[in-house]
């Protein structure tokens, strides 16, 4: 089951979405808070794809889910993103210009693809370093775009570690 909630009048930061059958959820509302995201993920145990678009009250976002395979964060003022999703395969961060830190990415051992657009280069480098250090995947597809360079770089990173 899919659900998209965008710019709904009356949705406040205390709304919770709960469903045992929801697989895809797209949220785009200025009033959605970090607490709402956290509670929604707890209330949707089979959620595989989660997208937060333009959620202006996100600051220190914690994403915890055993079922989540794709996380998309777009146009958020979030400063810290903590990701504890062992089955996450795709992480997309776009136009999150205030984002300074991604935490717990080393817990995402199944990661296969990272897409970054308009992300600070220092953050991009830290994210890549995390994945290289843990050998999260045999190879990781990384895409990053930056309008100032008018280019998109695609990199296949060999993440295997030699012990």
């Amino acid at each position: 089951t899919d659900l998209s909630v965008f710019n709904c009048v009356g949705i406040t930061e205390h709304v919770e979405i709960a469903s045992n059958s929801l697989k895809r959820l797209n949220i785009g509302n200025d009033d959605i808070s970090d607490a709402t995201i956290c509670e929604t993920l707890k209330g949707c145990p089979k959620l595989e794809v989660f997208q937060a678009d333009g959620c202006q009250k996100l600051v220190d976002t914690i994403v915890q889910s055993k079922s989540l395979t794709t996380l998309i964060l777009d146009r958020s003022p979030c400063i810290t993103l903590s990701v504890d999703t062992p089955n996450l395969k795709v992480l997309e961060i776009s136009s999150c210009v205030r984002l300074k830190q991604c935490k717990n990415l080393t817990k995402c051992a199944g990661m296969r693809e990272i897409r970054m657009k308009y992300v600070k280069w220092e953050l991009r480098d830290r994210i890549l370093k995390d994945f290289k250090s843990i050998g999260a995947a045999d190879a990781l597809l990384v895409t990053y775009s930056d309008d100032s360079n008018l280019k998109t770089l695609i990199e296949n990173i060999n993440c295997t570690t030699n012990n």
Side-chain angles (χ1 to χ4, degrees), residues 61-147:
T61 306
I62 298 171
V63 177
Q64 289 180 307
S65 171
K66 291 182 179 173
S67 60
L68 204 63
T69 60
T70 302
L71 173 62
I72 302 168
L73 189 62
D74 192 12
R75 297 181 304 117
S76 166
C78 172
I79 295 171
T80 303
L81 174 64
S82 179
V83 181
D84 185 358
T85 56
N87 294 311
L88 193 68
K89 298 201 180 337
V90 177
L91 172 63
E92 182 173 322
I93 302 171
S94 180
S95 300
C96 299
V97 294
R98 291 181 55 204
L99 188 61
K100 293 182 179 169
Q101 186 175 20
C102 286
K103 296 179 180 177
N104 296 325
L105 289 177
T106 54
K107 294 182 179 181
C108 305
M111 185 72 71
R112 295 290 182 255
E113 185 174 353
I114 299 175
R115 303 177 200 136
M116 293 179 271
K117 187 173 183 180
Y118 306 115
V119 173
K120 293 179 182 176
W121 289 96
E122 302 85 24
L123 176 63
R124 176 197 65 107
D125 291 342
R126 280 197 302 267
I127 290 171
L128 296 180
K129 184 180 176 186
D130 280 351
F131 281 100
K132 285 180 181 179
S133 70
I134 62 165
D138 293 336
L140 180 67
L141 176 64
V142 180
T143 308
Y144 30 91
S145 303
D146 183 348
D147 241 9

Side-chain angles (χ1 to χ4, degrees), residues 32-44:
I32 299 294
S33 69
D34 292 317
T36 300
I37 300 285
C38 192
E39 290 304 313
T40 297
L41 291 172
K42 286 180 187 174
C44 299

Side-chain angles (χ1 to χ4, degrees), residues 141-161:
L141 176 64
V142 180
T143 308
Y144 30 91
S145 303
D146 183 348
D147 241 9
S148 65
N149 297 329
L150 294 173
K151 64 182 176 182
T152 298
L153 302 171
I154 299 176
E155 190 174 329
N156 282 303
I157 297 174
N158 185 349
C159 294
T160 30
T161 55

Side-chain angles (χ1 to χ4, degrees), residues 6-7 27-32 51-58 72-77 94-96:
F6 286 93
N7 299 321
I27 294 180
N29 190 300
D30 287 349
D31 292 329
I32 299 294
Q51 178 177 357
D53 186 351
C55 298
Q56 296 302 307
K57 290 194 175 181
L58 301 183
I72 302 168
L73 189 62
D74 192 12
R75 297 181 304 117
S76 166
S94 180
S95 300
C96 299

